[in-house]
Amino acid sequence: AKQKGRDNAQVFAPEMASVVVKKFGLEQEMHEALELGQFSLEYQPKVWGDKSHIIGLEALIRWHHPVKGRVSPVDFIPIAEESNLITKIGEWVIDEALKQQNRWRKIGLKLVPVAVNISGRHLIHDDFVPYISGKLKAYELSGALLEIEITEGVLLQDIERCIAVMKALKALNITISVDDFGTGYSSLSYLKRLPIDVLKIDQSFVDECGKHTEDTTICETIIHLARNLKLVTIAEGVETQEQAELLNQMGCQVYQGYYFYRPMPSSEAATLLHENLSF
Ligand code: C2E
Ligand code: CA
Ligand code: CA
Ligand code: CA
């Protein structure tokens, strides 16, 4: 029995240890990445109708790891979310996006709001709103040039706290969007209580829109719901003209996806803003 126990330990312990080491290693590396400037932002346009009307940009974080190369946010954001590291990363993203807005304004570009993705843990952190208002002041920007995207699940964690934070954001003129909408379980009464402006239809529904009745119905339902609540709908992950046309017929207003633009470095986004037809 003793022998068997030792064998088991040899089989399982190293594996578990390596998971722990990997995670801890990545966490450590993210701290270093912040210090060494390995993160950057790419910007994906949000369009109204067609490619020539860009009404906003979404900032997406990129990590250029010195050895591993590009690491996807899908692989490191969830780990960062397990600790206050996500707050540090979120603050870096906010600072970088607003710094970029300030630079673009200085060279005379017509600005559009930049959306940043914020985790629930960060949203309800005491420093969140003061940090943002401090940065808006420092870069001499109106809150109207900032948008916060939060996923639906966040809303269910601490609703009263969410409402308070969102009201403070609204007082600064910041737009609030619910990301990946349709994948969580928020009830309509929750939605009504929250001062949100935009619903982003999750790309899994957009992807199957027109192909499967269920997904088509979900898209339609979200668009109608949004209209009744006087919210804007954005379809994310639009990859084909067919999807865009169908969503347009359903009354969707704003689009984002590879069919229009892929995420791009700030220099390319600046070129687009330069050519952008404004309303
Ligand atoms: P998300 O916020 O839902 O962002 C949309 C993701 O879909 C992005 O992936 C974007 O590049 C990708 N995408 C856009 N259009 C299309 C399309 O037409 N087809 C397909 N297949 N994909 C498309 P990305 O940049 O890899 O980001 C993945 C996720 O990581 C984001 O999902 C978001 O949850 C998270 N993330 C990214 N940047 C940040 C950040 O700065 N902070 C936080 N907290 N999370 C972030
Ligand atoms: Ca997003
Ligand atoms: Ca999304
Ligand atoms: Ca997503």
Side-chain angles (χ1 to χ4, degrees), residues 44-268:
Q44 186 180 34
K46 299 180 181 183
V47 307
W48 183 282
D50 67 73
K51 286 184 84 164
S52 58
H53 289 99
I54 295 167
I55 59 143
L57 298 169
E58 177 177 358
L60 294 157
I61 197 166
R62 299 293 177 248
W63 182 5
H64 310 271
H65 189 282
V67 178
K68 295 172 189 152
R70 278 173 77 110
V71 185
S72 165
V74 176
D75 294 325
F76 67 86
I77 291 292
I79 292 168
E81 280 174 336
E82 288 173 21
S83 72
N84 273 329
L85 183 55
I86 194 62
T87 305
K88 295 278 158 273
I89 292 177
E91 288 182 346
W92 180 85
V93 170
I94 292 164
D95 179 62
E96 182 63 24
L98 294 180
K99 191 187 291 169
Q100 187 58 258
Q101 289 281 54
N102 177 275
R103 285 192 211 114
W104 282 337
R105 188 190 43 200
K106 280 186 178 154
I107 59 170
L109 293 178
K110 188 178 179 293
L111 302 181
V112 294
V114 169
V116 294
N117 292 283
I118 296 296
S119 301
R121 189 185 188 114
H122 190 188
L123 185 87
I124 62 174
H125 196 285
D126 283 341
D127 295 339
F128 181 63
V129 174
Y131 182 85
I132 290 182
S133 65
K135 288 295 171 181
L136 288 173
K137 257 196 210 107
Y139 294 119
E140 298 170 43
L141 293 166
S142 155
L145 291 168
L146 182 65
E147 184 172 337
I148 305 289
E149 293 191 9
I150 46 156
T151 54
E152 206 184 343
V154 170
L155 308 176
L156 303 169
Q157 287 167 21
D158 187 346
I159 185 88
E160 300 305 330
R161 177 82 187 135
C162 277
I163 293 174
V165 172
M166 286 184 183
K167 282 188 174 156
L169 295 174
K170 292 314 297 172
L172 293 169
N173 260 318
I174 294 166
T175 303
I176 301 169
S177 302
V178 181
D179 207 349
D180 302 349
F181 189 74
T183 59
Y185 303 93
S186 34
S187 69
L188 302 185
S189 57
Y190 270 34
L191 277 185
K192 241 181 67 183
R193 289 186 63 200
L194 294 161
I196 54 180
D197 308 288
V198 181
L199 296 185
K200 295 190 78 175
I201 309 174
D202 189 64
Q203 60 186 57
S204 61
F205 304 120
V206 171
D207 203 34
E208 301 291 311
C209 191
K211 280 188 245 164
H212 293 106
T213 328
E214 292 86 356
D215 298 283
T216 313
T217 307
I218 290 171
C219 288
E220 224 164 5
T221 307
I222 295 174
I223 293 164
H224 288 169
L225 166 71
R227 187 182 295 154
N228 290 337
L229 294 173
K230 305 211 160 40
L231 306 174
V232 170
T233 31
I234 301 189
E236 59 175 9
V238 179
E239 292 181 353
T240 68
Q241 186 178 357
E242 291 73 47
Q243 287 167 351
E245 276 170 6
L246 190 57
L247 288 156
N248 184 259
Q249 282 164 20
M250 293 175 178
C252 182
Q253 294 135 317
V254 183
Y255 307 89
Q256 214 182 351
Y258 296 169
Y259 174 65
F260 297 97
Y261 295 103
R262 285 178 179 260
M264 59 186 81
S266 61
S267 55
E268 282 174 42

